[in-house]
């Protein structure tokens, strides 16, 4: 819609925002009218109309099989559009049109904002299935007429009330029609069922909705008075109420077709099962986070015991082996600590890489600095845990074997993500400017425990590749290529 409005019309940004607000709400008008809606806006030169949005009803058959958005029609071809735009009134005159042997009643509703008519909504009703209307259909049509008059007067949609139509109740979920005093005049079967689930034993018709709703809610003191007022439909609001064995979501829409409020529409949806599943997920998420927290604490306890044991060993080789084990356990603990703070089993690995780099740098025999370039991005826990160990081993190997006591140098970790969504890969390079690899060294045959761990995790567990080569200028370069999920 943005492109069409800016390309063909003279409307400004504030007018375009109003049209967006209208389009976010007009599913309601379409469903109540049992009709298709097409929004036509006059072009910049005033000689044509361009259709910028379209909506089909969920409550009846469509009048348009084709997509109308982007169509241009000259002024004069559709007289009802001209009359609604020029006179600023709802136009219903004229005989039904025939489209592919289907009779269609066409009406035009001017879209007004701050006294100006921005465009016209063409309301097209398929008459092929018209029958004697029921009480529900009559209520729908009367409510649609009230909303159409509000659009023509510029009082609907409500400014500042952006509605998420995916989350808000819809017409078919349940509908109540209230008078100006908040008394229920009509309740659809779905609406009545929802209130029965809350614990209402009587019929809704004739009851004051605000009072009845407040009585069904758990006692909340002063809040009851506010709830009663909101449920009476005095202002556009969305809220939820839980009582008995159910939870219902309500949306109040004041009806002001001629200025003063004549009543209200209340759309409602039974969200009992949805909220129950959400609570189950929250409980599950909390349990998972607590498990990661406890695993992290246990790993830190193991690391502390290993550190204590290392201090009691006289052998330098044994002490060094235990200190390496402490760092390996610590790298896993960092991942579980991050997972304990998330709602899912995915982590932002850049923070973990920085912490591993800082942890390993503490063992530097000289003045060696480390830094990270690029982004690892978000990784699944099943990749993040082994990758943290691999990174620990590679960095530890670079610092221990690439530099001597008193040396200065640097170690750089770079990460690049690429590939398609289905076949994304993470390329990691760890490069130092140390002494480099000895002649004839083969990282794939080395008996070094750290390199064995790297090979096993990268090739066996993560399905990636690992290589260690001489750096182009000086030092050693380790290259890791790992498959990951495509989203970053």
């Amino acid at each position: 819609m943005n492109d069409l409005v800016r390309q063909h019309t003279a409307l400004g940004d504030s007018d375009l925002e109003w049209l967006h607000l209208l389009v976010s709400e007009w599913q309601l008008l379409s469903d109540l009218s049992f009709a298709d809606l097409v929004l036509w806006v006059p072009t910049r030169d005033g000689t044509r109309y361009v259709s910028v949005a379209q909506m089909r009803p969920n409550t009846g058959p469509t009048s348009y099989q084709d997509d109308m958005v982007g169509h241009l029609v000259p002024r004069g071809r559709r007289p009802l559009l001209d009359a609604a735009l020029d006179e600023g009134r709802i136009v219903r005159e004229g005989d039904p049109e025939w489209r592919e042997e289907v009779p269609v009643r066409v009406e035009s509703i001017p879209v007004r904002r701050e006294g100006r008519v921005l465009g016209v909504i063409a309301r097209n009703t398929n008459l092929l299935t018209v029958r004697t209307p029921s009480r529900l259909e009559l209520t729908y049509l009367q409510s649609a007429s009230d909303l159409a008059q509000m659009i023509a007067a510029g009082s609907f949609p409500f400014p500042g009330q952006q509605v998420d139509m995916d989350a808000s109740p819809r017409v078919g979920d349940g509908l109540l029609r209230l008078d100006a005093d908040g008394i229920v005049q009509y309740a659809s079967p779905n609406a009545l069922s929802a209130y029965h689930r809350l614990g209402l034993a009587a019929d809704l018709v004739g009851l004051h909705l605000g009072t009845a709703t407040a009585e069904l809610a758990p006692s909340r003191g002063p809040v009851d008075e506010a709830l009663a007022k909101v449920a009476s439909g005095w202002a556009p609001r969305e809220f939820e109420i839980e009582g008995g064995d159910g939870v219902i979501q309500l949306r109040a829409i004041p009806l002001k077709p001629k200025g003063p409020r004549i009543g209200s529409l209340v759309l409602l949806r039974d969200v009992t099962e949805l909220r129950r599943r959400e609570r189950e997920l929250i409980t599950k998420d909390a349990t998972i986070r607590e498990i990661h927290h406890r695993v992290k604490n246990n790993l830190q306890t193991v690391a502390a015991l290993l550190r204590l044991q290392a201090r009691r060993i006289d052998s330098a080789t044994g002490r060094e082996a235990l200190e390496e084990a402490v760092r390996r356990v610590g790298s896993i603990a960092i991942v579980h600590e991050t997972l304990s703070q998330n709602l899912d089993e995915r982590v932002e690995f850049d923070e973990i890489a920085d912490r591993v780099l800082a942890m390993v740098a503490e063992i530097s025999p000289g003045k060696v600095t480390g830094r990270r370039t690029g982004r690892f991005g978000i990784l699944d826990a099943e990749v993040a845990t082994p990758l943290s160990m691999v990174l620990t081993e590679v960095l530890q190997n670079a610092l221990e074997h690439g530099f001597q006591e008193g040396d200065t140098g640097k170690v750089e970790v770079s990460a690049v993500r690429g590939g398609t969504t289905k076949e994304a890969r993470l390329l990691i390079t760890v490069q130092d400017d140390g002494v480099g690899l000895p002649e004839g060294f083969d990282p794939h045959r080395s008996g070094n425990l750290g390199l064995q761990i790297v090979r096993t995790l990268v090739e066996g567990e993560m399905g990636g590749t690992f290589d260690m080569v001489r750096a182009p200028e000086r030092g050693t370069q380790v290259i890791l290529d790992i498959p990951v999920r495509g989203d970053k």
Side-chain angles (χ1 to χ4, degrees):
M1 184 165 71
N2 288 354
D3 293 340
L4 289 170
V5 168
R6 288 172 178 149
Q7 180 182 353
H8 296 285
T9 79
L11 297 182
D13 290 342
S14 58
D15 295 330
L16 179 56
E17 189 62 32
W18 182 262
L19 295 184
H20 274 293
L21 190 60
L22 172 66
V23 168
S24 74
E25 291 270 29
W26 71 343
Q27 180 74 64
L28 174 63
L29 177 62
S30 178
D31 290 345
L32 289 172
S33 303
F34 308 98
D36 290 75
L37 306 178
V38 179
L39 177 58
W40 296 93
V41 180
T43 57
R44 189 174 289 105
D45 59 9
T47 62
R48 295 182 296 175
Y49 297 94
V50 58
S51 58
V52 299
Q54 179 179 2
M55 178 57 67
R56 294 184 174 90
N58 293 316
T59 52
T62 183
S63 303
Y64 285 112
Q65 298 297 330
D66 298 328
D67 184 8
M68 295 297 296
V69 175
H71 282 216
L72 289 161
V73 297
R75 184 178 172 86
R77 178 175 294 179
R78 301 193 178 186
L80 296 186
L81 294 182
D82 298 340
L85 182 70
D86 296 339
E87 301 172 22
R89 65 180 179 89
I90 299 175
V91 183
R92 297 190 175 94
E93 298 90 353
D95 296 327
E97 296 181 3
W98 287 84
R99 299 174 186 164
E100 298 180 357
E101 300 183 355
V102 174
V104 176
R105 182 175 64 242
V106 181
E107 304 165 86
S108 295
I109 304 167
V111 177
R112 191 183 304 274
R113 174 179 179 265
E114 297 180 351
R116 297 182 301 114
V117 177
L118 307 182
V120 179
I121 295 176
R123 180 164 55 176
N124 305 270
T125 306
N126 186 325
L127 299 178
L128 197 60
T129 58
V130 170
R131 60 184 184 279
T132 303
S134 65
R135 178 80 187 280
L136 179 144
E137 290 170 331
L138 288 172
T139 303
Y140 277 20
L141 292 172
Q142 180 58 53
S143 302
S145 177
D146 293 336
L147 284 177
Q149 292 182 59
M150 291 170 65
I151 291 173
S155 58
F156 186 84
F158 303 109
Q161 293 287 324
Q162 189 76 34
V163 176
D164 182 359
M165 291 306 299
D166 291 331
S168 293
R170 299 197 177 197
V171 170
D173 296 326
L175 179 142
L176 302 173
R177 173 88 186 209
L178 315 182
D179 65 12
D181 296 322
I183 305 300
V184 180
Q185 301 296 300
Y186 175 78
S188 72
N190 285 347
L192 189 59
S193 297
Y195 264 83
H196 283 169
R197 191 163 187 177
L198 285 180
L200 181 70
D203 191 358
L204 268 172
V205 176
L207 296 181
H208 187 278
L209 183 67
T211 303
T213 303
E215 290 174 352
L216 293 171
S219 178
R220 296 180 291 179
V223 179
D224 291 342
E225 182 178 348
L227 177 61
K229 194 171 183 181
V230 170
S232 299
W234 66 278
R237 293 286 187 275
E238 286 196 32
F239 59 99
E240 283 190 10
I241 174 175
E242 181 172 359
D245 296 326
V247 182
I248 61 174
Q249 180 185 13
L250 299 98
R251 181 189 176 200
I253 303 170
L255 296 176
K256 305 175 182 179
K258 297 181 180 179
R261 186 172 67 87
I262 65 168
S264 306
L265 277 182
V266 177
L267 306 180
L268 59 93
R269 174 191 295 167
D270 186 340
V271 292
T272 305
E273 292 304 314
L274 178 62
R275 297 296 176 257
R276 182 184 63 81
R277 293 192 190 100
E278 286 178 352
R279 285 193 285 267
E280 289 178 351
L281 287 174
I282 290 172
T283 302
K284 179 183 176 182
D285 289 338
T287 302
I288 292 173
R289 288 199 300 270
E290 179 62 21
I291 289 172
H292 284 301
H293 181 70
R294 295 189 180 189
V295 169
K296 182 262 297 184
N297 287 344
N298 290 339
L299 289 172
Q300 288 180 337
T301 301
V302 171
L305 291 174
L306 291 172
R307 195 176 293 112
L308 182 63
Q309 187 66 44
R311 292 171 183 168
R312 294 174 173 269
I313 292 181
D314 295 331
S315 168
T317 303
R319 190 183 311 112
E320 184 178 333
L322 288 176
E323 289 174 350
E324 288 183 359
V326 168
R327 287 188 287 274
R328 288 166 183 152
V329 172
S331 66
I332 301 174
I334 291 173
V335 177
H336 284 281
E337 180 181 3
T338 305
L339 288 169
S340 69
Q341 301 169 3
N342 293 340
L343 294 177
D344 55 17
E345 291 292 285
R346 312 196 70 202
V347 297
E348 176 61 67
F349 198 81
D350 293 331
E351 178 185 351
I352 294 174
D354 291 341
R355 293 179 63 180
V356 168
L357 188 59
M359 178 181 67
V360 176
E362 294 177 359
I363 67 168
S364 171
K367 297 180 180 180
V368 180
T369 60
R371 71 164 186 159
R372 171 182 60 85
T373 61
R375 288 193 66 247
F376 287 84
I378 298 174
L379 299 178
D380 293 330
E382 60 187 16
V383 174
T385 301
L387 183 56
S388 67
M389 281 198 66
V390 167
L391 199 56
T392 300
E393 295 298 333
V394 171
L395 289 170
Q396 186 170 286
N397 188 74
L399 292 171
E400 287 185 353
H401 301 289
F403 302 94
Q404 302 296 324
E405 190 71 36
D407 286 352
T408 60
K410 62 182 180 181
V411 178
E412 181 174 312
V413 179
S414 69
V416 178
R417 291 182 76 141
T420 64
T421 301
K422 293 183 178 181
E423 299 180 354
R425 302 194 72 83
L426 176 61
L427 181 65
I428 305 166
T429 305
V430 180
Q431 182 169 322
D432 65 70
D433 58 357
V435 297
L437 296 174
E439 290 293 334
F441 179 81
D442 185 355
H444 299 284
R445 296 180 179 273
S446 171
N448 179 288
L449 177 60
L451 292 182
Q452 288 181 9
I453 292 174
V454 171
R455 288 197 301 269
T456 300
L457 293 177
V458 172
E459 298 173 357
E461 189 164 337
M462 291 186 284
T465 61
F466 155 74
D467 199 7
M468 178 182 286
V469 297
R470 288 180 177 272
E473 296 182 1
R474 178 184 175 183
T476 304
Q477 190 177 72
V478 177
I479 303 169
L480 308 171
D481 189 356
I482 301 168
V484 294
R485 279 175 55 174
D487 50 327
K488 299 181 181 181

